[in-house]
Each structure stands twice: as structure tokens, then as C-alpha cells.
Amino acid sequence: MEIENVFENGGFYMIEEIDIPFEEEILRNPYTLKSWFRYIDHKSEQPIAQQIFVYERALKELPGSYKLWKRYLDLRREKVQDLNPVRYEKEYLKVNNCFERALVLLHKMPRIWIDYCSFLMKQCRVTKTRRTFDRALKALPITQHPRIWEIYLKFAREIGGETAIRLYRRYLKLEPDHVEEYIDLLLSMDRYDEAAKRLAQVVNNDRFQSMHGKSNYQLWMELCDLICEHPHEIKSLKVEPIIRSGIRRFTDQVGKLWNSLASYWIKLQHFEKARDVFEEGISTVMTVRDFTQIFDTYAKAEETFIEKKMEEAAKRAEEGIDDPKEDLKLDLRLMRFEQLMDRRPFLVNDVLLRQNPNNVHEWEKRVSLWKDNHEKIVETYSTAMRTVDPKKATGKFHELWVNFAKYYEKGNDLESARTIFGKATHVNFKNVNDLASVWCEYAEMELRHKLYDKAIEVMSLATVPVGIPNVDFRDENIPVQRRVFKSIKLWSFYVDLEESIGTIESTRAVYDRILELKIANPQIIINYANFLEENKYFEESFKVYERGVELFNYPIAFEIWNVYLTKFIARYGGAKLERARDLFEQALEKCPPKYSKPLYLMYGKLEEDYGLARHAMRIYDRATRAVADEDRFDMFNFYIAKASANFGVTYTREIYERAIEVLPDKEAKDMCLKYAELERKLGEIDRARALYAHASQFCDPRIVPSFWQIWHDFEVKHGNEDTFKEMLRIKRSVQAQYNTEVNFISAQILATRQANQGILQGSQPNISDQTNAQNAMQLVEQETIQNMGNNPKVVKAMAFVPASTQTKKENANPDENVNPDEITMDMDEE
């Protein structure tokens, strides 16, 4: 039933008996909202006409109630939302009328406007909807506008056309950061020119922050792709300046931008301009990656043009049409393409040289690319010499000069080669050795052509001091030309050259000059001395050795002394014995113990061969005091052997005794064994036994069982029951002594484990010097108990007693004398 008919008939027939209580309540309280809501809830199950009747009566009494209008409008919209807005236009108009009535007093309520506009968007009333949105924007405060614009823009996207564009332009005045949505709308509507214009404004705005998280580079690439894909539609922008500005800004993506610019001209059918862009791109890029991108696109474009021309030529051939101009264009394109592919290695080389113009290796590669083209090779070398900074050169810059000169040399143009070498000698290279290498190569070139005098002249010129002679060779701030005369590499080559083709006097002059400059190394000293010796200048060679030992300290001086003394003895033997002695004394005066052993042996050999034996013994005796600790044991053995051979075995007793005193325990033990064996052979059994007793203090029976076996065999063969028991007593005493030393116990245990692992695994593990003392004692006790068996007396005697226990015993019976080192007599049984 229509609402108009309801009010025309008074509507009272809609009031039923069950409604009377609610009617009475609203009569008593017509302006109470709760009373009306209770009445409306009561009618919720009734037909729509009855609900509308109640709502209209309520709104007549309370026309400004938002809650009442909201529920009423939601009800009216719900009843028509499933109806076709065209077929049931009148029903929709009635709802629209309700919204208009509501907005008379509720025009500041955004929810009413949103619902009304959303309801209008479902109807075919574009103008009315647009005007309603405008009314909402005018009525509501600015803070509420985003809620309206959200659905307003949705409406704009749905209708499209000029209306949508104008609406977005208005919206961007309020929210300029949402320009990307506007650009997307323009692209969807094929408005490429305005989209490109807006995108250009965005990329030029440094303060712009993309709502979609896009970087400035991504926006640039979108702009480039847009103007390159639609070149004919873009009228308001200058495309080429835009892309070139991007090339200047984004230096790491220039390859793609150059391709975009070339693609733009290709789509405009300007092929020659596109070719110029490709050529400019491959000649200006700085990375191989960018070059590869441009070159591949360039080559593909040329192939496409050629294929198109070949298809046209084939079509003309089928039709029998002869067109010389088109055939000429095809041949020209084929020639250009072939030339482009031949230029590729040179273009890549150009890119690498633009990256680093001081890259010597790339300059050499460029020279090799020209093969037999003489003019280009010379031009490349000349350009390289002008371009490369010697101090920043990557690679051996001096080799570039040398190869340039050798190129002329191969062409038998020695004058040009000499000119190149002459220029190279004035280049301020990175280090002195580079310049020295240039001078040496210069001289070698003269030698290859058998111009020996020229070679000597070159080297003499190279070794002449420039400026102050006392220049610091290692001072990098001084040009290399002023320091090269101190280069040992240069002088070594010079002296080799003089030895080969010069005279003895000239060679000696060069060697003396090296010594004067104090740049000689040990090899120079040896070579000079050998040179003089070969030419029978023996005394002069010895003087060279003496100058050498003055120049160098140990250990270098040791090598020179070694050669010098060997040569001197071989030359004079015993003829100049006193001089030889003086030389040895001079050599040993400052010699470190580490290097003194060979010199003492040589000195002693000299006295044995040409001097007195007692002098030799005195020297060997000095050696045992002067040599390093690791060499002292061997020196004592050598001394004993020589003393025994020269003066008899009895003379060696004093040597043995001193060796035992000064050597470490392990080596002293070995020396005692040798001494005891000597006494045994001499029949001095008691002296030998005393030596065994002295050595026993260094030998733990569980670690060095071999010593005790030797003593055991000695007593069995030469002793009696008393001496044997004395040996056993000493053995127990030594064993007890080592049991009280914690550090030795640790070493003992680890040595035992090492031996066991060595047997099982065939390898010897590393031994740590520090272990837990208490654990070590316990392990020794356990191992001793296992080794001694189940004898309780032995176990009790060998067990470690804590200090606390001992203290308790002393406190319990202070008059009782307790010996903690007492040894059980049962241990005699072995």
C-alpha cells in the first residue's frame, strides 16, 4: 500500500487492538524517542505500510532525530535494493524523497549523505548523483570530505569519460599525492598525452612520495615506456630532452634509457635518428653491461630492417620489378651491419678504457686488435702515452713504452726505437725499477743488434747521478730519474754487461762504484770476488770480502765469512796461519751463537791441519761455551772425539765432567751413559757405578726404563749383592721423589697415554704441559696399584696421603715420629 493512500484515509484502520497500549504511551509522551522505538519494534513483524505509518508519525513529532531517520531510511532502502531501478523508478524516487526530507535538518550528518549518494549510484541518474555529491561536499566540513571522496571517486571510475577526469582534477587539488590514481585512470582511458604530462610533473618533483612505494627511477622508467610506446599520441612533451635528462640522472641504467630513446625514433619511422642514438649510446656508456644492452638492441634493429628489405626485394623479384635504388639501400644496410659486427671488439675496448683510461692491459689489447694496421698501431701507442698517468697506471706502464720501441725495432727502424726509449727515460714512473727496466731494455736492444759500444754508452748514461748524489732512494716524493742511479737492478745489468764485453778495469770500476754507493747486496760481493779470483787477483778478491763483511751484519755476514774463509784456506793453507787466525777471531767476535758452530769447526780444522793440536782443543773448548744451546751437545761429542783421537781417552774425563755440569738433564743423562761406558772399558767399575748413580736423578723408572735396564745389566755383570741392592734402593728413592712432583706426574701420565695411543693408532698426539694436579695424583695411584698387584702392603705404602690426614695423626700422637717418606721393605722383591 502506498504511503499517500495511508494518510488520505487517516490511517487509523492500521491501529489494532494490541497497539492500544503503545498508542496510549505515545499520547502521554509524544516526544520521547524510547516510546516510539518500542512501538516501532512492536510493528517490526507487521507489513511495511504499518511500519512506515509509525515512522512517519514519529518523524512528524521528532523531525530532527538522527537515529529515527537512520533506521527509517535503512528500512526504505532495504525494501527496494533488490528491485530494478528502471522498472521501479517511482519506488526509488520515493526513497530519494525521504533522503531529501531527512537532509533538510540532518545536512551535517556524513552518514546520511554517504548512504544517499551510494543509493543514487545504483540508479541511472548520473547528473543528479554528481550534484548530490557536490551538495554533500558543500554541506560537510572539510574534515569529513575524505569519506565522501572515497565513494565519489568510485562513482567517477564507474562512469568514466570527461566527468571522471574533471572529478579527479578537483580531487587532486585536495590530495595531490594521489596523482598516481589519476594517471592510472588516464591510461585506462587512453589519454596518454595528459598521463605523460602528469607523470613528468611527478618525476620532476623531488618532494613527491609515491603512495605505492615506487622510487623516482621506477617512475622515470614508466614515463619513458609510456612516451616510447605511444609516440604519436604524445604532443605536449619533448620526449628526447626528457630521456636525456634521465640518462644524466640515472648513470647505472643508461643502457635501457638509450634503448628507449632509440625505440621512440624507430616507432616514429625516423630510422636514421635511431641509428644516431645507438651510435651515441655505445660511444658514451661506461659499463660493459650497458654497452651489451645497447649493442644487442642495435644489432637486432638492424637485422629487422635488413629482413624487411630482403622480403621487399624477394617480392620485387617475384613480380619482376627492378628497383636499383632499393637494392642499393639493401646493400648499404648489409655493409653497415657487417661493419657494426666487426667494430664490436673495438667498442668493448673503448668502454673499458673509458672506465679506466690508465689500464695498460686494455691499451695493449687495443694494439693487438689492429693487427697489421701500422698507422692505427702507432696512433694507439701515441694516444696511450698521452692518456695514461704513470702514477695511476694499472699494470706495467713501462712495458707499454718498451713494446712501442720493440714495434719499431721489428720494422728495422732503430732510430725511432731509440727516440721512444729516450722519451720513456723521462717519464716519471710509479717506482724506480720501472725506469731501470726501461734502461735495461734499451741496452738489450743495442745488444741484439751487436752494437756493444752503444749498449755500454746507454748503461753509463743511465747510472750517472742527476742532481744531488746523496738522494734517498726510498723517497717517493723525489722523481725516479734522480733516484734510478741507485737501482741495484740497473747496476747488476751494467756489471754483467761489462763482464761480458768490457775490460777488467772497466768491470772493476763498475763494481767499485756499486760499493761506493753502498747499494751492493751479498750476491754482488760474491760475484765481484769471484770475478777477481778468476782473473788471478786473489788479494783483491779477499779485500772485497772484507768490504762485504763491513757492509752487512749477521746473518748475512756469516755467509760472506763462510765463503771468504773457505777461499782463504784453500788459497794459502798454512802459509799465512797467523792471518787466518786473525780472520777467524774477527769473524767470531760479533757472531751470534746460532751461527758460530760452523766457524768454530772450520777454525779447529785449520789448527788440526796446519797448527797445533792443543790449539785446536782450545778452540773446541771455546766452542762448547759459545755455540747455541741446541748445538752444545753435538759440540761436546765432537770435542770428545777429537780429544780422544789426539790425546787419548783419559784426556776426555774433564770434558765429560764439564759436559755433565752444563748440559740439560736429558742430554746430561746421555753424556753420563757414554762416560760410564768409557770408565767400564777402562776397568774403572766404581767410577762407572758412581756415574750411573749420578745419572739416576734424571731418570724416572716409569718414563726412562732403558737407563735402569742398562744399570741392571751392568750390576749383573760387574756388581755384587750389595751393589745390586743399592741400585734398587736408589731406584725406589728416585721413583718416590718423582711421585711427589705434581708437574712431573702430569707429564708422566700424558707420556704413558701418548705411548699407548702411539701403539694403537700409529700416531703421536700433542702433549699439554698443564693438567689438574689432584686428578694426576689419583691416576698415578690407580695405575701404580694396578701395576703392583694385590699386595696390600705395597698398596698402602704407595698410596698418597692427604695433608689433612697427616695433620690429624700428628695431633693425635705428637710424641710418635712419623716418616712420610718411609719405604716399605717389601719393595726389595723384584
Side-chain angles (χ1 to χ4, degrees):
M1 180 183 292
E2 295 182 354
I3 189 63
E4 287 80 0
N5 297 332
V6 171
F7 283 101
E8 286 176 0
N9 299 325
F12 295 108
Y13 64 91
M14 294 185 180
I15 300 175
E16 300 176 357
E17 185 177 356
I18 58 176
D19 299 334
I20 293 174
F22 296 99
E23 289 289 342
E24 292 176 349
E25 183 179 1
I26 61 176
L27 287 175
R28 289 192 300 269
N29 302 303
Y31 304 111
T32 303
L33 190 61
K34 291 183 179 180
S35 300
W36 285 108
F37 276 155
R38 282 195 290 269
Y39 196 5
I40 291 170
D41 293 338
H42 168 69
K43 287 287 188 177
S44 60
E45 300 298 330
Q46 300 298 323
I48 183 63
Q50 295 186 20
Q51 296 181 45
I52 292 173
F53 175 70
V54 175
Y55 269 116
E56 290 291 343
R57 289 173 60 196
L59 289 172
K60 187 175 180 181
E61 299 295 337
L62 300 170
S65 174
Y66 169 77
K67 292 183 179 180
L68 198 58
W69 273 113
K70 183 70 172 63
R71 292 182 62 173
Y72 181 40
L73 294 174
D74 289 344
L75 175 66
R76 297 296 298 266
R77 283 191 303 141
E78 182 182 355
K79 295 303 179 180
V80 298
Q81 64 180 0
D82 296 329
L83 302 178
N84 190 314
V86 177
R87 186 174 179 181
Y88 297 93
E89 182 179 5
K90 290 183 178 181
E91 298 298 326
Y92 274 88
L93 289 175
K94 293 176 182 178
V95 178
N96 293 346
N97 185 41
C98 288
F99 273 107
E100 292 291 346
R101 288 164 52 206
L103 289 172
V104 172
L105 296 176
L106 302 179
H107 58 277
K108 295 296 183 183
M109 299 297 176
R111 185 72 259 172
I112 303 297
W113 285 109
I114 292 172
D115 292 343
Y116 186 21
C117 293
S118 300
F119 184 69
L120 288 174
M121 287 171 60
K122 297 180 180 180
Q123 307 175 37
C124 301
R125 297 175 178 274
V126 176
T127 302
K128 182 175 181 57
T129 305
R130 178 173 56 80
R131 289 176 178 175
T132 303
F133 273 113
D134 294 341
R135 287 168 55 202
L137 293 173
K138 292 178 182 179
L140 294 174
I142 190 68
T143 55
Q144 301 292 338
H145 284 195
R147 301 178 64 182
I148 302 299
W149 275 113
E150 182 179 357
I151 57 175
Y152 201 0
L153 295 178
K154 181 179 178 182
F155 167 72
R157 288 192 293 271
E158 289 178 357
I159 61 175
E162 187 66 24
T163 301
I165 294 175
R166 291 178 178 272
L167 288 178
Y168 262 97
R169 287 176 183 173
R170 287 174 56 194
Y171 176 63
L172 291 179
K173 294 179 181 180
L174 178 66
E175 296 288 346
D177 291 339
H178 291 73
V179 67
E180 291 175 274
E181 298 179 10
Y182 180 42
I183 294 173
D184 293 339
L185 177 67
L186 292 173
L187 293 176
S188 64
M189 298 172 62
D190 297 336
R191 299 288 188 97
Y192 301 113
D193 186 63
E194 187 173 356
K197 186 178 179 180
R198 287 283 184 172
L199 198 54
Q201 294 175 357
V202 167
V203 298
N204 289 326
N205 184 5
D206 295 333
R207 297 183 179 180
F208 178 76
Q209 294 292 333
S210 174
M211 302 293 290
H212 303 297
K214 295 180 180 179
S215 64
N216 189 262
Y217 167 72
Q218 291 176 312
L219 296 173
W220 261 103
M221 296 312 299
E222 289 182 5
L223 175 61
C224 292
D225 294 340
L226 175 61
I227 59 182
C228 293
E229 291 176 3
H230 308 282
H232 296 284
E233 289 83 357
I234 307 300
K235 304 296 182 181
S236 58
L237 294 178
K238 294 181 180 180
V239 176
E240 187 169 359
I242 291 175
I243 298 180
R244 288 186 179 275
S245 65
I247 292 172
R248 291 190 296 270
R249 180 180 297 186
F250 306 104
T251 55
D252 57 337
Q253 298 291 338
V254 295
K256 188 174 182 180
L257 293 172
W258 280 114
N259 288 338
S260 298
L261 181 56
S263 175
Y264 170 76
W265 290 119
I266 290 174
K267 290 186 177 181
L268 290 178
Q269 304 295 318
H270 295 168
F271 300 116
E272 293 302 323
K273 284 189 176 182
R275 184 179 290 106
D276 294 340
V277 170
F278 280 127
E279 290 290 339
E280 184 180 357
I282 59 179
S283 61
T284 57
V285 292
M286 300 295 292
T287 64
V288 177
R289 184 193 60 160
D290 293 333
F291 169 81
T292 304
Q293 289 180 349
I294 299 173
F295 186 86
D296 292 345
T297 307
Y298 189 9
K300 187 175 181 180
E302 290 289 347
E303 288 178 356
T304 304
F305 297 154
I306 292 172
E307 289 178 0
K308 185 176 180 181
K309 291 293 182 182
M310 292 182 71
E311 290 175 359
E312 294 175 357
K315 186 176 181 180
R316 288 196 303 272
E318 291 178 0
E319 297 176 355
I321 301 174
D322 188 12
D323 192 345
K325 291 184 178 181
E326 292 297 328
D327 294 339
L328 180 61
K329 290 181 180 180
L330 176 60
D331 294 339
L332 181 62
R333 290 191 177 277
L334 288 171
M335 182 183 67
R336 282 179 174 176
F337 182 72
E338 184 178 356
Q339 185 182 14
L340 176 64
M341 301 309 292
D342 293 339
R343 288 166 52 207
R344 192 179 194 283
F346 294 93
L347 295 172
V348 174
N349 183 259
D350 286 337
V351 173
L352 296 174
L353 288 177
R354 282 195 295 273
Q355 284 182 358
N356 182 12
N358 300 310
N359 192 333
V360 176
H361 177 69
E362 291 301 327
W363 283 111
E364 291 284 4
K365 187 184 294 186
R366 188 170 187 82
V367 171
S368 63
L369 289 175
W370 289 116
K371 297 180 180 178
D372 298 330
N373 192 331
H374 174 73
E375 293 181 359
K376 289 294 184 179
I377 290 175
V378 173
E379 180 183 351
T380 301
Y381 272 123
S382 301
T383 305
M385 304 312 172
R386 293 192 304 268
T387 304
V388 177
D389 185 354
K391 296 296 183 181
K392 300 179 181 179
T394 303
K396 299 179 179 179
F397 184 42
H398 69 280
E399 290 186 357
L400 196 64
W401 283 96
V402 171
N403 292 336
F404 192 12
K406 285 182 177 180
Y407 176 74
Y408 278 112
E409 183 188 357
K410 291 178 182 179
N412 296 322
D413 189 355
L414 292 183
E415 289 301 324
S416 298
R418 292 191 184 103
T419 303
I420 298 301
F421 274 120
K423 292 181 179 180
T425 57
H426 291 86
V427 176
N428 190 17
F429 291 104
K430 188 182 298 184
N431 55 64
V432 180
N433 286 332
D434 292 346
L435 181 57
S437 299
V438 171
W439 281 111
C440 293
E441 291 287 348
Y442 191 1
E444 285 184 358
M445 183 192 73
E446 301 293 354
L447 290 176
R448 284 194 293 269
H449 294 276
K450 299 181 179 180
L451 300 174
Y452 305 117
D453 294 338
K454 281 279 189 182
I456 295 291
E457 181 182 350
V458 168
M459 295 311 298
S460 62
L461 181 63
T463 53
V464 173
V466 179
I468 303 174
N470 296 328
V471 69
D472 186 1
F473 182 75
R474 295 178 179 83
D475 191 353
E476 298 293 338
N477 296 322
I478 301 175
V480 293
Q481 282 75 16
R482 293 175 56 188
R483 294 183 286 146
V484 71
F485 74 96
K486 284 192 174 183
S487 172
I488 189 61
K489 179 178 182 179
L490 193 66
W491 283 103
S492 299
F493 183 84
Y494 191 11
V495 78
D496 291 342
L497 187 62
E498 287 288 355
E499 285 188 21
S500 302
I501 60 177
T503 62
I504 297 175
E505 289 74 14
S506 62
T507 305
R508 290 185 61 184
V510 175
Y511 273 119
D512 291 338
R513 181 61 177 156
I514 294 174
L515 295 177
E516 288 175 8
L517 293 173
K518 296 182 180 181
I519 60 174
N521 55 26
Q523 189 61 49
I524 291 292
I525 300 296
I526 302 298
N527 292 344
Y528 189 13
N530 289 337
F531 171 76
L532 293 173
E533 184 180 356
E534 291 172 1
N535 290 279
K536 310 303 181 184
Y537 292 91
F538 298 104
E539 284 299 327
E540 297 295 332
S541 69
F542 295 150
K543 290 180 181 179
V544 171
Y545 284 123
E546 292 175 0
R547 294 179 67 178
V549 295
E550 291 176 0
L551 288 174
F552 301 102
N553 296 322
Y554 285 91
I556 298 175
F558 168 74
E559 302 296 339
I560 300 177
W561 275 116
N562 200 11
V563 177
Y564 180 19
L565 295 172
T566 303
K567 296 280 188 180
F568 189 88
I569 295 172
R571 172 66 179 167
Y572 293 111
K576 295 186 178 183
L577 185 59
E578 290 301 325
R579 182 179 172 187
R581 287 171 177 166
D582 291 340
L583 290 176
F584 274 107
E585 293 296 337
Q586 184 181 352
L588 292 170
E589 182 179 0
K590 297 181 180 180
C591 182
K594 182 179 180 180
Y595 304 101
S596 60
K597 179 182 175 182
L599 295 179
Y600 275 112
L601 294 177
M602 194 185 303
Y603 193 5
K605 184 69 168 57
L606 173 69
E607 291 292 349
E608 288 183 31
D609 294 342
Y610 305 106
L612 299 176
R614 66 174 181 275
H615 290 173
M617 295 302 104
R618 192 180 301 116
I619 291 169
Y620 293 141
D621 184 65
R622 285 174 56 192
T624 58
R625 294 177 172 84
V627 298
D629 294 340
E630 59 269 17
D631 297 329
R632 186 167 285 120
F633 181 71
D634 295 336
M635 195 69 231
F636 269 113
N637 287 332
F638 184 80
Y639 182 17
I640 291 170
K642 289 295 183 180
S644 177
N646 291 326
F647 298 100
V649 293
T650 57
Y651 184 81
T652 62
R653 281 175 174 163
E654 294 181 1
I655 305 174
Y656 274 117
E657 292 173 1
R658 193 166 66 82
I660 293 170
E661 291 178 2
V662 300
L663 289 175
D665 292 350
K666 182 179 180 181
E667 296 175 351
K669 181 260 296 183
D670 296 336
M671 193 62 69
C672 286
L673 291 175
K674 291 184 179 181
Y675 192 8
E677 181 64 20
L678 173 64
E679 295 293 356
R680 188 187 66 79
K681 291 180 180 179
L682 294 176
E684 298 290 345
I685 302 302
D686 292 337
R687 292 176 64 88
R689 185 176 291 111
L691 287 169
Y692 283 125
H694 178 73
S696 64
Q697 62 182 321
F698 311 130
C699 305
D700 182 5
R702 283 163 293 188
I703 295 180
V704 194
S706 59
F707 168 78
W708 297 99
Q709 185 62 41
I710 293 172
W711 194 359
H712 179 277
D713 296 340
F714 172 81
E715 293 296 345
V716 170
K717 190 173 182 180
H718 301 286
N720 52 37
E721 184 177 356
D722 294 335
T723 59
F724 192 83
K725 286 186 176 182
E726 180 66 16
M727 180 201 70
L728 294 177
R729 186 192 69 77
I730 294 173
K731 182 177 181 181
R732 289 193 298 273
S733 177
V734 171
Q735 185 170 353
Q737 176 185 356
Y738 279 108
N739 284 344
T740 61
E741 296 182 4
V742 175
N743 292 334
F744 194 82
I745 291 169
S746 304
Q748 203 174 42
I749 296 171
L750 293 175
T752 304
R753 292 178 179 175
Q754 173 188 355
N756 294 336
Q757 292 178 2
I759 294 171
L760 296 175
Q761 302 177 2
S763 62
Q764 186 174 5
N766 295 327
I767 299 177
S768 172
D769 293 335
Q770 297 180 353
T771 56
N772 187 284
Q774 184 177 359
N775 294 338
M777 290 179 180
Q778 294 174 0
L779 289 173
V780 171
E781 182 178 348
Q782 293 173 6
E783 292 178 4
T784 305
I785 292 172
Q786 293 174 1
N787 293 333
M788 300 303 294
N790 298 322
N791 191 335
K793 294 183 179 180
V794 176
V795 173
K796 181 178 180 182
M798 293 301 297
F800 289 101
V801 180
S804 60
T805 305
Q806 183 65 28
T807 305
K808 290 179 181 179
K809 289 183 178 180
E810 291 177 357
N811 296 334
N813 190 0
D815 296 332
E816 184 180 355
N817 295 326
V818 179
N819 183 9
D821 296 331
E822 181 180 1
I823 301 175
T824 305
M825 293 305 296
D826 292 341
M827 293 178 64
D828 293 341
E829 300 175 3
E830 292 192 9

PDB file of all heavy atoms in Angstrom, residues 758-771:
ATOM      1  N   GLY A 758     100.121 -44.214  20.632  1.00  0.00           N
ATOM      2  CA  GLY A 758     101.054 -44.429  19.519  1.00  0.00           C
ATOM      3  C   GLY A 758     101.082 -45.869  19.077  1.00  0.00           C
ATOM      4  O   GLY A 758     101.198 -46.186  17.899  1.00  0.00           O
ATOM      5  N   ILE A 759     100.937 -46.774  20.052  1.00  0.00           N
ATOM      6  CA  ILE A 759     100.925 -48.204  19.705  1.00  0.00           C
ATOM      7  C   ILE A 759      99.633 -48.567  18.991  1.00  0.00           C
ATOM      8  O   ILE A 759      99.618 -49.299  18.003  1.00  0.00           O
ATOM      9  CB  ILE A 759     101.113 -49.047  20.976  1.00  0.00           C
ATOM     10  CG1 ILE A 759     102.509 -48.802  21.553  1.00  0.00           C
ATOM     11  CG2 ILE A 759     100.908 -50.522  20.686  1.00  0.00           C
ATOM     12  CD1 ILE A 759     102.728 -49.417  22.921  1.00  0.00           C
ATOM     13  N   LEU A 760      98.495 -48.053  19.500  1.00  0.00           N
ATOM     14  CA  LEU A 760      97.195 -48.413  18.925  1.00  0.00           C
ATOM     15  C   LEU A 760      96.935 -47.741  17.599  1.00  0.00           C
ATOM     16  O   LEU A 760      96.398 -48.337  16.676  1.00  0.00           O
ATOM     17  CB  LEU A 760      96.084 -48.054  19.913  1.00  0.00           C
ATOM     18  CG  LEU A 760      96.111 -48.841  21.243  1.00  0.00           C
ATOM     19  CD1 LEU A 760      95.034 -48.311  22.170  1.00  0.00           C
ATOM     20  CD2 LEU A 760      95.939 -50.333  20.996  1.00  0.00           C
ATOM     21  N   GLN A 761      97.294 -46.463  17.482  1.00  0.00           N
ATOM     22  CA  GLN A 761      96.934 -45.675  16.300  1.00  0.00           C
ATOM     23  C   GLN A 761      98.102 -45.435  15.373  1.00  0.00           C
ATOM     24  O   GLN A 761      97.902 -45.014  14.241  1.00  0.00           O
ATOM     25  CB  GLN A 761      96.335 -44.330  16.732  1.00  0.00           C
ATOM     26  CG  GLN A 761      95.105 -44.490  17.609  1.00  0.00           C
ATOM     27  CD  GLN A 761      94.582 -43.148  18.066  1.00  0.00           C
ATOM     28  OE1 GLN A 761      95.119 -42.116  17.688  1.00  0.00           O
ATOM     29  NE2 GLN A 761      93.540 -43.160  18.886  1.00  0.00           N
ATOM     30  N   GLY A 762      99.313 -45.660  15.800  1.00  0.00           N
ATOM     31  CA  GLY A 762     100.480 -45.400  14.958  1.00  0.00           C
ATOM     32  C   GLY A 762     100.779 -43.938  14.807  1.00  0.00           C
ATOM     33  O   GLY A 762     101.481 -43.514  13.901  1.00  0.00           O
ATOM     34  N   SER A 763     100.219 -43.077  15.711  1.00  0.00           N
ATOM     35  CA  SER A 763     100.447 -41.645  15.637  1.00  0.00           C
ATOM     36  C   SER A 763     100.678 -41.122  17.028  1.00  0.00           C
ATOM     37  O   SER A 763     100.237 -41.715  18.011  1.00  0.00           O
ATOM     38  CB  SER A 763      99.264 -40.925  15.001  1.00  0.00           C
ATOM     39  OG  SER A 763      98.131 -41.117  15.783  1.00  0.00           O
ATOM     40  N   GLN A 764     101.368 -39.999  17.148  1.00  0.00           N
ATOM     41  CA  GLN A 764     101.712 -39.397  18.430  1.00  0.00           C
ATOM     42  C   GLN A 764     100.956 -38.108  18.612  1.00  0.00           C
ATOM     43  O   GLN A 764     101.181 -37.148  17.888  1.00  0.00           O
ATOM     44  CB  GLN A 764     103.222 -39.134  18.473  1.00  0.00           C
ATOM     45  CG  GLN A 764     103.684 -38.633  19.830  1.00  0.00           C
ATOM     46  CD  GLN A 764     105.178 -38.509  19.891  1.00  0.00           C
ATOM     47  OE1 GLN A 764     105.833 -38.715  18.894  1.00  0.00           O
ATOM     48  NE2 GLN A 764     105.705 -38.170  21.048  1.00  0.00           N
ATOM     49  N   PRO A 765     100.058 -38.028  19.586  1.00  0.00           N
ATOM     50  CA  PRO A 765      99.283 -36.793  19.779  1.00  0.00           C
ATOM     51  C   PRO A 765     100.093 -35.731  20.488  1.00  0.00           C
ATOM     52  O   PRO A 765     101.136 -36.005  21.074  1.00  0.00           O
ATOM     53  CB  PRO A 765      98.101 -37.256  20.641  1.00  0.00           C
ATOM     54  CG  PRO A 765      98.644 -38.414  21.420  1.00  0.00           C
ATOM     55  CD  PRO A 765      99.634 -39.097  20.520  1.00  0.00           C
ATOM     56  N   ASN A 766      99.577 -34.507  20.459  1.00  0.00           N
ATOM     57  CA  ASN A 766     100.230 -33.401  21.165  1.00  0.00           C
ATOM     58  C   ASN A 766     100.027 -33.557  22.669  1.00  0.00           C
ATOM     59  O   ASN A 766      99.018 -34.060  23.132  1.00  0.00           O
ATOM     60  CB  ASN A 766      99.645 -32.065  20.725  1.00  0.00           C
ATOM     61  CG  ASN A 766      99.958 -31.808  19.275  1.00  0.00           C
ATOM     62  OD1 ASN A 766     101.002 -32.217  18.812  1.00  0.00           O
ATOM     63  ND2 ASN A 766      99.060 -31.137  18.579  1.00  0.00           N
ATOM     64  N   ILE A 767     101.039 -33.095  23.439  1.00  0.00           N
ATOM     65  CA  ILE A 767     101.019 -33.205  24.910  1.00  0.00           C
ATOM     66  C   ILE A 767     100.883 -31.831  25.504  1.00  0.00           C
ATOM     67  O   ILE A 767     101.655 -30.940  25.184  1.00  0.00           O
ATOM     68  CB  ILE A 767     102.293 -33.897  25.417  1.00  0.00           C
ATOM     69  CG1 ILE A 767     102.383 -35.326  24.849  1.00  0.00           C
ATOM     70  CG2 ILE A 767     102.321 -33.963  26.933  1.00  0.00           C
ATOM     71  CD1 ILE A 767     103.625 -36.048  25.227  1.00  0.00           C
ATOM     72  N   SER A 768      99.934 -31.645  26.344  1.00  0.00           N
ATOM     73  CA  SER A 768      99.772 -30.365  27.052  1.00  0.00           C
ATOM     74  C   SER A 768     100.570 -30.394  28.339  1.00  0.00           C
ATOM     75  O   SER A 768     100.649 -31.417  29.012  1.00  0.00           O
ATOM     76  CB  SER A 768      98.289 -30.124  27.343  1.00  0.00           C
ATOM     77  OG  SER A 768      98.153 -29.003  28.161  1.00  0.00           O
ATOM     78  N   ASP A 769     101.178 -29.271  28.677  1.00  0.00           N
ATOM     79  CA  ASP A 769     102.038 -29.187  29.853  1.00  0.00           C
ATOM     80  C   ASP A 769     101.281 -28.968  31.152  1.00  0.00           C
ATOM     81  O   ASP A 769     101.855 -29.028  32.235  1.00  0.00           O
ATOM     82  CB  ASP A 769     103.044 -28.046  29.665  1.00  0.00           C
ATOM     83  CG  ASP A 769     104.024 -28.368  28.554  1.00  0.00           C
ATOM     84  OD1 ASP A 769     104.212 -29.566  28.304  1.00  0.00           O
ATOM     85  OD2 ASP A 769     104.570 -27.413  27.969  1.00  0.00           O
ATOM     86  N   GLN A 770     100.001 -28.659  31.103  1.00  0.00           N
ATOM     87  CA  GLN A 770      99.264 -28.317  32.320  1.00  0.00           C
ATOM     88  C   GLN A 770      98.066 -29.236  32.466  1.00  0.00           C
ATOM     89  O   GLN A 770      97.269 -29.345  31.549  1.00  0.00           O
ATOM     90  CB  GLN A 770      98.783 -26.869  32.273  1.00  0.00           C
ATOM     91  CG  GLN A 770      99.916 -25.868  32.221  1.00  0.00           C
ATOM     92  CD  GLN A 770      99.405 -24.453  32.187  1.00  0.00           C
ATOM     93  OE1 GLN A 770      98.219 -24.237  32.069  1.00  0.00           O
ATOM     94  NE2 GLN A 770     100.326 -23.511  32.295  1.00  0.00           N
ATOM     95  N   THR A 771      97.953 -29.952  33.543  1.00  0.00           N
ATOM     96  CA  THR A 771      96.801 -30.798  33.876  1.00  0.00           C
ATOM     97  C   THR A 771      96.419 -30.568  35.319  1.00  0.00           C
ATOM     98  O   THR A 771      97.161 -29.951  36.086  1.00  0.00           O
ATOM     99  CB  THR A 771      97.125 -32.292  33.662  1.00  0.00           C
ATOM    100  OG1 THR A 771      98.281 -32.600  34.433  1.00  0.00           O
ATOM    101  CG2 THR A 771      97.403 -32.595  32.200  1.00  0.00           C
TER     102      THR A 771
END
